[in-house]
Amino acid sequence: MRKIVLFVFTIPLAIILIALSVANRAPVMATVDPFNPGNPALSFSLPLFTIVLAALIAGVVLGSFLTWISQGKHRSRARLETIRAAAIKKEADAIKQERAVALAEAAPMLPALRSS
């Protein structure tokens, strides 16, 4: 199922990105200084598709990071519940062991109790 989704979405997306990259090869002037756009020290010329792809990648990375941060409380709770479940399992195993020991100690007395 994952392979089908991969092919259905990523291959058309890759084709679209390649087409846009080929169509937008013309260099554009990008500047870091919004108050003085003509400043050559803070301006550089790049093909338009590199700027668009860099913005797209930055958006994906930033969105993933913010999602990871917002889900931290769920990961923390899952970690605590895992520790709690391990403690409960350890306690249940100890109770089973005590029960087995008690049954082993009581086994010799069972025939005497049944005959009375």
Side-chain angles (χ1 to χ4, degrees):
M1 182 67 180
R2 282 186 157 188
K3 289 183 180 182
I4 294 172
V5 172
L6 178 74
F7 287 124
V8 168
F9 289 110
T10 57
I11 290 177
L13 181 64
I15 292 171
I16 291 169
L17 286 176
I18 290 170
L20 288 174
S21 298
V22 171
N24 293 302
R25 290 178 295 170
V28 293
M29 188 64 86
T31 184
V32 183
D33 187 5
F35 301 112
N36 186 9
N39 186 357
L42 298 174
S43 298
F44 48 93
S45 179
L46 289 173
L48 180 61
F49 75 91
T50 58
I51 296 171
V52 172
L53 290 179
L56 182 67
I57 291 170
V60 168
V61 169
L62 183 63
S64 299
F65 178 72
L66 291 176
T67 301
W68 183 75
I69 292 293
S70 69
Q71 292 175 350
K73 60 184 173 187
H74 301 294
R75 285 191 310 277
S76 175
R77 182 170 181 190
R79 194 170 27 254
L80 290 174
E81 292 298 327
T82 301
I83 292 169
R84 183 173 171 238
I88 290 171
K89 184 181 183 317
K90 185 177 178 182
E91 184 179 343
D93 290 342
I95 291 171
K96 285 180 186 176
Q97 184 68 27
E98 289 175 12
R99 181 178 176 263
V101 169
L103 285 175
E105 289 175 356
M109 293 182 240
L110 288 178
L113 292 174
R114 286 186 189 154
S115 63
S116 10

